[in-house]
């Protein structure tokens, strides 16, 4: 039983590192800038989570690696969601939560993270998430 738990944790860690590496690769960041890829992931995940209805948020989270799911739900207050954010509001909040200068600004950070997440969940789930977004925000989503 303990071996299975360690294996599950290692698998989640590997999948999380793959997600962070995908973000880094999109920017050409070296691994020593992992704090930036983590900040980008965390910021966009939290804003996406808070924009989604509770049921859809939980369904989306079920497809994330356990470690990323923990990041996703950290600080979540289900009674406070969904928060109505349009595209400009979302990008403003990304800029507030991501304190680094990155090529393309908050719009590119958002697109890179969303594209990365899209590749790590099923197409059907991604479509469900996209359909819950206002049209101007959905345009940022691959």
């Amino acid at each position: 039983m303990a071996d299975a738990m360690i294996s599950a944790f290692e698998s989640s860690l590997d999948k999380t590192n793959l997600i962070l590496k995908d973000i880094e690769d999109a920017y050409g960041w070296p691994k020593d800038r992992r704090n930036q890829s983590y900040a980008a992931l965390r910021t966009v995940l939290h804003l996406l989570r808070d924009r989604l209805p509770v049921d859809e948020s939980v369904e989306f989270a079920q497809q994330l690696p356990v470690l990323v799911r923990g990041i996703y739900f950290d600080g979540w207050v289900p009674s406070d969601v969904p928060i109505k954010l349009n595209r400009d509001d979302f990008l403003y909040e990304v800029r507030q939560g991501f304190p680094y200068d990155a090529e393309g600004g908050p719009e590119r950070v958002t697109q890179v993270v969303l594209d990365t997440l899209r590749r790590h969940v099923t197409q059907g789930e991604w479509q469900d998430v996209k359909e819950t977004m206002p049209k101007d925000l959905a345009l940022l989503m691959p």
Side-chain angles (χ1 to χ4, degrees):
M1 181 70 152
D3 288 341
M5 289 175 54
I6 290 171
S7 178
F9 178 77
E10 287 174 350
S11 175
S12 179
L13 183 59
D14 289 345
K15 290 174 184 176
T16 301
N17 280 324
L18 181 60
I19 290 170
L20 294 170
K21 185 179 181 320
D22 286 352
I23 294 168
E24 292 157 3
D25 287 350
Y27 273 105
W29 293 339
K31 187 177 180 179
D32 66 356
R33 291 177 73 178
R34 178 67 39 108
N35 58 331
Q36 286 183 222
S37 56
Y38 171 77
L41 177 63
R42 179 181 173 84
T43 299
V44 174
L45 271 176
H46 283 188
L47 288 166
L48 186 63
R49 172 202 72 194
D50 291 346
R51 182 61 186 87
L52 292 170
V54 172
D55 289 346
E56 186 57 43
S57 187
V58 172
E59 288 176 19
F60 173 72
Q62 290 173 346
Q63 294 198 9
L64 300 172
V66 172
L67 187 55
V68 175
R69 198 176 314 147
I71 296 165
Y72 182 81
F73 283 124
D74 184 43
W76 190 45
V77 181
S79 61
D80 291 349
V81 299
I83 297 171
K84 301 298 181 192
L85 297 170
N86 63 28
R87 179 183 182 280
D88 291 340
D89 297 335
F90 195 97
L91 294 175
Y92 174 81
E93 294 298 331
V94 168
R95 184 68 204 133
Q96 298 309 303
F98 183 75
Y100 303 97
D101 288 325
E103 182 181 329
E107 183 170 341
R108 175 89 171 115
V109 169
T110 300
Q111 289 173 326
V112 164
V113 172
L114 292 176
D115 187 49
T116 299
L117 290 171
R118 179 194 54 82
R119 291 191 310 268
H120 292 273
V121 301
T122 65
Q123 182 178 357
E125 183 56 42
W126 189 253
Q127 193 60 37
D128 289 348
V129 168
K130 193 172 178 177
E131 288 173 1
T132 66
M133 295 293 132
K135 289 180 182 176
D136 65 339
L137 188 51
L139 292 173
L140 288 174
M141 302 179 76

